[in-house]
Amino acid sequence: MYFELSEEHKMIRDAAREFAQELKAGAIQRDEEAKFPFEFVKKMGELGFMGIMVPQEYGGAGLDTLAYVLALEEIAKIDASAAVIVSAHNSLVLWGLNEYGTEEQKQKYLVPLATGEKLGAFALSEPEAGSDASSQHTIAEDQGDYYLLNGTKNWITNGGNADIYLVIAQTDVGKGHKGINVLIVEKGYTGFTIGPKENKLGIRSSDTHSLLFSDVKVPKENRIGDDGFGFKFAMKTLDGGRIGIAAQALGIAAGAYDLALAYSKTRKTFGKPISDHQAIQFKLADMEVEIEAARLLTYKAAWTKDQGLPYGKEAAMAKLHASEVAMKHTIEAVQIHGGYGYVKEYHVERLMRDAKITQIYEGTSEIQRLVIAREILRA
């Protein structure tokens, strides 16, 4: 097996690492004010990160999933909020449009999304459904040449600032999960309103909103795939989304580790750097081992997807392990910083708060274990 990155992948990683340094100066203020990073989203579009896996013919960078993971990891090391904006946009919106959209849908929606001119959001979760795509209470009633959309979506990343929304809705209750569709909804459609912004523990400069649909007319040509394709679309999209979450979690953990390692070499107690104390060395060693394991799982999931192989189990494993490592070792990074870790200027408390959501969205850790168990029992 060959573990060295290609020169192209190294260039992507380095470009993302360089850009991420621009995010650092205002990260604390954006977090405190829950301020969306408009200028940086625009810059990420210019750098190609907002359409990194989309073919060049549709305005994207034409790169693979591994390149995407490398970029996300570097951005999340500094600002997980910026990383989740990129992740939701790419994994949950652009991938599905590129994979299953018609040529007309790609020209109208994928191109401006891939260039970063417009922002996308994926609307699956509901007050009673979470990531359970089979339990949809949002209804899209077939009216001939359009659907009449009614319902509520919760916890939608990019919900307030998106221009284009992929909405999962039930069209035929009698068919169960086979009666679900995915519809492209534009901001500004009559009857579509955006709820208040959520006041979150972490990833605070990304925006999370509820979406409300009241007799929203969605043209029939805005349905992606055949009638009843929505459930399969959601499942495929969530698999890819978990790779993005794993990359975010990996970046958060690695960013906290970098800060803890640097601090341990400069902070002195009893006349020597705390990195000379065995207790700190053990913490750093455990962090390095578990973060590297998360990195290998995440990169393998990306590679598996790029090979055209089934990757549901690999994505779930990467997401599960990386998110648990992120939570565990951001706490350790705060501990290594001592009292300084508890104040905002050292960044690690923000990374600790950001880490928690990686165990929750795209399915909780318990859901990932169910996905993994289902795959290994089926083998």
Side-chain angles (χ1 to χ4, degrees), residues 52-66:
I52 193 165
M53 296 181 289
V54 175
Q56 292 180 349
E57 64 187 287
Y58 296 116
L63 299 172
D64 59 13
T65 313
L66 181 56

Side-chain angles (χ1 to χ4, degrees), residues 126-264:
E126 296 185 354
E128 298 179 11
S131 297
D132 181 2
S134 65
S135 299
Q136 296 298 301
H137 294 281
T138 296
I139 301 297
E141 186 179 351
D142 192 337
Q143 297 292 314
D145 58 351
Y146 66 89
Y147 289 101
L148 199 61
L149 186 64
N150 285 279
T152 301
K153 296 293 184 178
N154 275 20
W155 318 117
I156 307 305
T157 301
N158 299 340
N161 289 291
D163 304 284
I164 308 298
Y165 301 77
L166 301 190
V167 181
I168 306 297
Q170 187 84 45
T171 342
D172 190 333
V173 177
K175 293 182 179 179
H177 73 275
K178 294 182 179 180
I180 293 173
N181 280 302
V182 54
L183 306 177
I184 304 169
V185 177
E186 299 179 29
K187 179 179 281 184
Y189 276 4
T190 301
F192 174 26
T193 58
I194 297 168
K197 185 176 181 178
E198 301 290 351
N199 188 8
K200 307 190 300 280
L201 171 71
I203 56 166
R204 288 176 50 79
S205 68
S206 71
D207 66 313
T208 305
H209 293 257
S210 294
L211 308 178
L212 298 93
F213 306 97
S214 179
D215 288 340
V216 178
K217 290 185 177 180
V218 182
K220 210 59 163 299
E221 60 265 27
N222 281 26
R223 186 186 72 204
I224 298 178
D226 295 332
D227 187 26
F229 180 67
F231 179 78
K232 183 177 180 181
F233 180 94
M235 292 299 96
K236 292 288 187 181
T237 299
L238 287 177
D239 280 344
R242 286 169 183 141
I243 298 176
I245 302 306
Q248 292 171 54
L250 170 61
I252 291 168
Y257 169 74
D258 289 345
L259 292 169
L261 179 61
Y263 180 81
S264 74

